[in-house]
Amino acid sequence: MKLVLFTLCLCVFAVICLADNQPVLVFKKGINPREISAFKSWTVQQGMDYESLEDEQQKMEVFANNIRTIEEHNSKKEGTWKMEINKFSHLSFEEFSSLYLMLAQNCSATKGNHVISSKAAPPHKDWRDEGNFVTPVKNQKKCGSCWTFSTTGCMESATAIHVQGHPLYSLSEQQLVDCAQAYDDHGCEGGLPSHAFEYIRYNHGIMNESAYPYVAEDQKCKFQASKAVAFVKKVVNITQGAEGDIVDAVAFQNPVSIAFQVTPDFQGYKSGVYSNPTCGTKPDQVNHAVLVVGYGTDSATNMDYWLIKNSWGPDWGINGYFKMQKGVNMCGIATCASYPIVV
């Protein structure tokens, strides 16, 4: 019923023009019938429910603008990646940022403590192919807690890889949201994996997801030391901008936590090797933390890439992952990389 009323409402704002003696509908703000139809189909597919007719119209206008951006981007022959309509297509970047990104963090390690190995890194690495070392993609929902998912993802993999007989646990992001404030982390407002590793180290562990489940909002700390299952001995920071050190760490240690600056087009990423010459690389510009699980060279474009696990669910990007151009500190990806030494 809402959609019917909405369509009637739009028709009130429509005017009839004549082009070659054929009537053409021109909708308010330039929204055309094809975009309206796509929005209706998307609304049904996503199971969306709007607060009011005004809210529905506003979301449709944003959706139409996003469709045009996606189509313009995908029409560029020189592009190395594609965009798509997804579950975020009804959101402006300002709305998206407030719900899913953290506040910009100042996170640099001008001189890191990663020790380079004496071995030559292989041309391709994917820790998912090495064994049961990477947990499934998770969903941070409407909370700027990406830093906790980057942290747990790195801890989960490092512990499964390096601790003899240790299973691949799914660790608690909610514990970090609730309990790490003393380490300059701020729950749903943002934080840094390097700080979270320090918290886990001095807190003497992190609990399982099942023991301390995720609720996507700030709440009081409920940590129980007796239920901690993963522990940090030392935190390793990688020197700012040293992508070669990240390659070495990913190749011979484990997946690595990194952060970068998300800009509007990334919201609609679908596939390919992402690059954007306008995004920032400074330490105070990063607004999203993720997990590098590998790297390689794209066969279609011959472009080197990082393989990265995101925390927006498996229905975004490449089953929850994305590829980003490697070797140029794209969007600050090498600005604040870190990982833990686990026990």
Side-chain angles (χ1 to χ4, degrees), residues 202-308:
Y202 291 105
N203 184 66
H204 305 298
I206 183 170
M207 294 165 62
N208 251 340
E209 186 95 51
S210 58
Y212 200 150
Y214 185 67
V215 297
E217 61 182 36
D218 298 312
Q219 57 182 16
K220 291 183 179 179
C221 182
K222 301 180 181 70
F223 173 71
Q224 299 177 56
S226 62
K227 295 184 177 180
V229 295
F231 307 88
V232 173
K233 178 181 180 180
K234 180 182 178 181
V235 180
V236 178
N237 290 298
I238 293 176
T239 301
Q240 180 181 339
E243 282 194 73
D245 287 15
I246 302 177
V247 172
D248 184 81
V250 173
F252 302 115
Q253 290 292 330
N254 42 251
V256 170
S257 290
I258 60 98
F260 70 105
Q261 186 189 45
V262 170
T263 48
D265 57 356
F266 189 75
Q267 179 178 332
Y269 173 89
K270 176 185 179 182
S271 61
V273 181
Y274 178 82
S275 65
N276 184 339
T278 68
C279 57
T281 60
K282 296 179 181 178
D284 61 354
Q285 292 178 303
V286 300
N287 58 9
H288 190 49
V290 286
L291 184 69
V292 174
V293 302
Y295 58 83
T297 302
D298 182 67
S299 59
T301 62
N302 202 36
M303 181 180 287
D304 292 337
Y305 65 83
W306 294 109
L307 176 64
I308 303 174

Side-chain angles (χ1 to χ4, degrees), residues 66-227:
N66 285 337
I67 284 181
R68 296 165 197 165
T69 298
I70 291 166
E71 291 177 344
E72 180 182 2
H73 173 86
N74 289 345
S75 68
K76 298 176 181 177
K77 294 181 179 179
E78 70 277 10
T80 61
W81 62 284
K82 296 294 184 182
M83 298 178 72
E84 67 177 346
I85 296 171
N86 62 23
K87 60 186 177 182
F88 303 133
S89 295
H90 64 308
L91 299 174
S92 68
F93 185 64
E94 290 73 21
E95 292 173 305
F96 177 78
S97 298
S98 68
L99 295 172
Y100 297 99
L101 300 179
M102 60 185 181
L103 298 178
Q105 306 290 307
N106 196 338
C107 62
S108 65
T110 54
K111 186 176 181 181
N113 57 334
H114 171 73
V115 179
I116 296 288
S117 69
S118 59
K119 298 176 285 187
H124 171 85
K125 184 74 176 186
D126 185 344
W127 276 105
R128 298 174 301 176
D129 297 335
E130 303 290 322
N132 190 28
F133 295 139
V134 181
T135 55
V137 172
K138 302 180 185 181
N139 191 342
Q140 69 184 70
K141 302 179 182 177
K142 296 178 180 179
C143 171
S145 57
C146 55
W147 60 279
T148 70
F149 289 84
S150 176
T151 301
T152 58
C154 195
M155 281 287 298
E156 290 159 353
S157 293
T159 304
I161 292 166
H162 298 296
V163 181
Q164 185 78 22
H166 198 295
L168 179 65
Y169 286 131
S170 180
L171 300 176
S172 174
E173 293 80 25
Q174 193 64 44
Q175 179 184 331
L176 300 177
V177 169
D178 297 341
C179 307
Q181 285 80 2
Y183 290 79
D184 197 29
D185 289 321
H186 311 286
C188 286
E189 297 299 317
L192 295 174
S194 58
H195 295 174
F197 294 139
E198 294 287 359
Y199 158 75
I200 296 169
R201 177 186 179 188
Y202 291 105
N203 184 66
H204 305 298
I206 183 170
M207 294 165 62
N208 251 340
E209 186 95 51
S210 58
Y212 200 150
Y214 185 67
V215 297
E217 61 182 36
D218 298 312
Q219 57 182 16
K220 291 183 179 179
C221 182
K222 301 180 181 70
F223 173 71
Q224 299 177 56
S226 62
K227 295 184 177 180

Side-chain angles (χ1 to χ4, degrees), residues 10-19 23-33 36:
L10 284 172
C11 290
V12 171
F13 291 101
V15 296
I16 302 296
C17 300
L18 293 178
V24 178
L25 286 175
V26 181
F27 288 89
K28 185 182 178 183
K29 297 192 177 181
I31 301 172
N32 62 50
I36 294 173

